[in-house]
Amino acid sequence: MSKNFGMGEIWQVSTKIVYQNKWTTVREDQIKRQSGSTGLYGVVDKPHFVVIVPFNDGKVHLVQQYRYPVKDRYWEFPQGSWEQEPDIDPELLAIGELREETGIVASKMVHIGFQYVGYGYSSQGYHIYFATGLKKKDMRLEMGEEGLITSEFTVTEFEKMLLDGKIKDASTTAAYCMVKMKNLI
């Protein structure tokens, strides 16, 4: 199977899965460049996810949970994927993740855009949604989200958290920038 990526073309000669679980697949692709040189490319495949920017009355809603890979807790926008339904409509996923992690239901959900996490090593990307008209219901945390907490912050507080390095999640930062640049906040 070969894949042509355009200028600076690279073709996949072969692929081999070197690790896989229900969340992640890591593969090694033997590649051939336009020049004829060959190489190895490692790729992390994960399902796309959503990041939701819940905004109401001048405040954003954040969640905080323990992130095992970095061994700490950080504030971030609600986000996630449903591995059991990788092809779910992203808006339905955003509605579900917002309710699950915060107990919030939004009367309006606007798609802001799509970005990749790190397309130099991964095929994973995320859809950004802006949620307004928020009503608090009950949280529906999954077992893996044990200890998740949620709180709201003024835009000024949130921006200070960004500048002070208290928010370290790149997708949260990018989502906020997209929403801000579209003059929604």
Side-chain angles (χ1 to χ4, degrees), residues 38-176:
T38 60
L40 180 68
Y41 216 104
V43 179
V44 177
D45 289 319
K46 291 180 65 82
H48 293 325
F49 64 101
V50 294
V51 177
I52 307 102
V53 180
F55 182 73
N56 211 43
D57 298 327
K59 296 179 180 175
V60 294
H61 293 261
L62 301 176
V63 298
Q64 184 193 75
Q65 60 185 312
Y66 185 78
R67 293 300 194 175
Y68 177 79
V70 294
K71 307 282 191 266
D72 211 343
R73 299 179 64 87
Y74 291 103
W75 288 104
E76 61 194 40
F77 285 130
Q79 55 191 277
S81 64
W82 291 347
E83 292 77 19
Q84 71 278 12
E85 294 182 64
D87 298 323
I88 188 169
D89 178 291
E91 185 171 339
L92 293 176
L93 177 58
I95 291 166
E97 282 294 319
L98 181 62
R99 174 75 185 267
E100 175 186 306
E101 293 188 359
T102 66
I104 292 173
V105 175
S107 65
K108 188 171 183 185
M109 194 72 78
V110 177
H111 187 260
I112 300 302
F114 178 86
Q115 302 216 313
Y116 286 101
V117 173
Y119 49 53
Y121 68 91
S122 178
S123 62
Q124 185 181 41
Y126 57 95
H127 292 272
I128 301 165
Y129 283 89
F130 184 61
T132 56
L134 310 179
K135 291 188 179 19
K136 191 76 169 156
K137 302 283 184 179
D138 58 319
M139 291 172 64
R140 298 178 176 172
L141 296 178
E142 293 180 346
M143 187 170 44
E145 295 169 327
E146 181 179 312
L148 182 141
I149 58 172
T150 182
S151 189
E152 60 183 15
F153 298 87
T154 66
V155 169
T156 302
E157 291 170 324
F158 175 77
E159 289 179 353
K160 184 169 179 6
M161 291 166 73
L162 279 172
L163 293 173
D164 291 347
K166 291 185 175 154
I167 294 175
K168 298 190 179 295
D169 179 58
S171 57
T172 292
T173 303
Y176 182 73

